[in-house]
Amino acid sequence: MTRSTQDWQAADSAHFLHPFTDYQTLQRKGARIITKADNVYLWDSDGHKIFDAMSGLWCVNVGYGQQALVDAATRQLKELPFYNAFFQTATPPAIELAELLSQVTPPGFSHVFFTGSGSEGNDTIVRMVRRYWDVLGQPQRQFIMSRKNAYHGSTMAGASLGGMTGMHAQGGLPIPGIAHIEQPYWFANGRGMTPEEFGLTAAGWLEAKIEELGPHNVAAFIGEPVQGAGGVIIPPETYWPEIQRICDKHQILLVSDEVITGFGRTGRWFGCERFGFRPDLMTFAKGVTSGYVPLGGVMVGERVVRVLIDQGGEFEHGYTYSGHPVACAVGLANIRLIQQLGLVEHVRDDVGPYLAEQFRALADHPLVGMAETCGLMGALLLVKDKALGLPFPSELHLGMVCRGHCFANGLIMRAVGDRMIVAPPLVTTRAQVDEMTALIRRCLDLTLADAQRGGWP
Ligand code: PXG
């Protein structure tokens, strides 16, 4: 028996505490119930078709309805639904996925530590980099450097590494030994300079903070190649090579959080390849299984592997679901499908440049102060005055107004402050980019009409 939308909403309100949700607002409005999906489209419980321009939550890289992933999960569930990887055991899917990951990741990544999510992956990062320095006889190297407005997950360590002040305010975070520098967001922090100059300046903030803390106390630097949840903040091209130089100079481990940027999102297999840096460790999740089942992990480069394996003894860390066979079987099928469909090349050479072109065209809209893309991630900044680049007052919440129009018009787009962002599935075609940008334009027009009615405060 199918239940009505009101019935679903009542049961949802009565029993389900949602993540990152204002509970009173949700009780008032009722949740939107998503019931099925295919390719880049979702359907809700009232039968409305919706263009999912956020790939679920930055994860459904191969799109919905891929039979190969369904078959892989079904086969594995029948054969061996679970066995652990503790106590000197392993399962074939976990071994094969480890092998395949070492092939698709940049040279030097021979080993993987599996987790259940990106947050757990970043907890593993904290444990692993501190363990690395312990084994090397430098236990005072505790500090892990990160950036304001970074997102690294919602566990205690993930939220501490992240630079979201709202999250820190709830739960007494960050945990000790985490230090944040300012983000490389040119529009907010660097408009007096060229983006290239600003990239060097922003990387210089890392060096200044390292000097302040004492280089011998610093274990690692972690960053997302492009800040996703922070609003698709694309750093200037000069930024990452300079970060690399600074980490090398002080022998600090460099960690790339590839949870969003991994598996083709930027038009390379991993975001670090797009921005020209060589991390020692990489966190991944989301796109490894295209979100069909939960899986995450940490790719561990030679420098750290040699210390952990040759000198380390027991690493007292792990999760029940580290190397879950069903998740790994789906991961294998997913990566093979990305290869077969040539999705990384599709983003790099075809649909990524096409999205960039269409976003440049959207920049002529009176509300759009800046339009940027990187692979299949895009951001439009809503501004009050294009010529002066003046933002709207934040109490207007214009991004949320725009997002409301998107929902009402069959488009899922995220609002981060006044940055409207998209990250559609990598299977998106040019025709679907056209469909998406037409929807975006309509929603921008509706938002503009609201702003004009409100008198451009
Ligand atoms: N690192 C990065 C870079 C992420 O984007 C995580 C770690 C944590 O992964 P898990 O699997 O533990 O959620 C993420 C997750 C948003 C949004 O609003 C983004 C994420 C999660 C929830 C919401 O854009 N990214």
Side-chain angles (χ1 to χ4, degrees), residues 108-336:
F109 284 111
S110 53
H111 286 71
V112 60
F113 192 102
F114 287 118
T115 71
S117 67
S119 299
E120 286 179 4
N122 283 327
D123 276 49
T124 297
I125 289 284
V126 172
R127 299 287 309 276
M128 198 179 273
V129 300
R130 290 184 175 162
R131 173 84 187 130
Y132 168 86
W133 288 112
D134 268 355
V135 173
L136 287 180
Q138 300 187 49
Q140 82 291 346
R141 284 213 191 231
Q142 287 280 310
F143 270 106
I144 304 178
M145 321 283 300
S146 181
R147 283 107 42 101
K148 294 180 183 168
N149 198 35
Y151 190 80
H152 296 297
S154 195
T155 50
M156 295 294 277
S160 296
L161 291 172
M164 304 286 179
T165 45
M167 292 175 77
H168 291 174
Q170 297 180 358
L173 302 178
I175 57 171
I178 312 283
H180 295 88
I181 58 168
E182 195 46 83
Q183 60 178 332
Y185 182 15
W186 175 80
F187 185 83
N189 302 320
R191 274 192 285 166
M193 298 172 236
T194 66
E196 292 69 29
E197 286 163 354
F198 172 66
L200 297 177
T201 300
W205 295 330
L206 175 62
E207 185 136 46
K209 195 73 180 176
I210 291 170
E211 301 290 357
E212 179 191 321
L213 297 169
H216 55 286
N217 293 321
V218 180
F221 173 78
I222 184 168
E224 308 151 77
V226 173
Q227 287 153 257
V232 182
I233 310 291
I234 305 167
E237 297 293 334
T238 49
Y239 181 74
W240 277 109
E242 181 65 3
I243 291 282
Q244 170 97 61
R245 189 193 65 75
I246 293 163
C247 288
D248 288 350
K249 178 174 157 197
H250 299 289
Q251 293 150 44
I252 289 163
L253 292 169
L254 178 52
V255 185
S256 188
D257 184 338
E258 301 272 356
V259 168
I260 283 178
T261 50
F263 303 97
R265 174 62 57 197
T266 69
R268 303 291 188 283
W269 273 93
F270 291 87
C272 58
E273 298 169 293
R274 161 64 184 79
F275 288 95
F277 67 103
R278 291 167 282 99
D280 298 295
L281 297 145
M282 297 198 301
T283 321
F284 66 86
K286 297 190 189 272
V288 66
T289 55
S290 287
Y292 280 46
V293 291
L295 179 67
V298 170
M299 292 305 301
V300 187
E302 274 311 290
R303 175 176 167 193
V304 177
V305 159
R306 291 279 57 90
V307 171
L308 288 181
I309 295 182
D310 300 345
Q311 305 174 48
E314 180 162 346
F315 182 37
E316 305 213 14
H317 174 71
Y319 310 101
T320 299
Y321 299 133
S322 288
H324 191 292
V326 178
C328 290
V330 173
L332 273 169
N334 175 64
I335 294 175
R336 288 179 183 143

Side-chain angles (χ1 to χ4, degrees), residues 2-50:
T2 55
R3 297 167 73 166
S4 70
T5 298
Q6 287 89 334
D7 194 21
W8 283 125
Q9 288 173 333
D12 177 72
S13 285
H15 302 294
F16 188 179
L17 288 176
H18 292 236
F20 278 93
T21 295
D22 179 327
Y23 297 123
Q24 282 180 10
T25 309
L26 184 66
Q27 296 255 337
R28 222 171 28 248
K29 287 173 53 181
R32 174 185 277 255
I33 314 295
I34 304 297
T35 51
K36 63 174 190 171
D38 188 41
N39 186 243
V40 303
Y41 303 102
L42 304 167
W43 281 265
D44 69 15
S45 50
D46 293 327
H48 296 126
K49 185 179 178 187
I50 305 159

Side-chain angles (χ1 to χ4, degrees), residues 208 331 421 437:
I421 63 186
T437 46

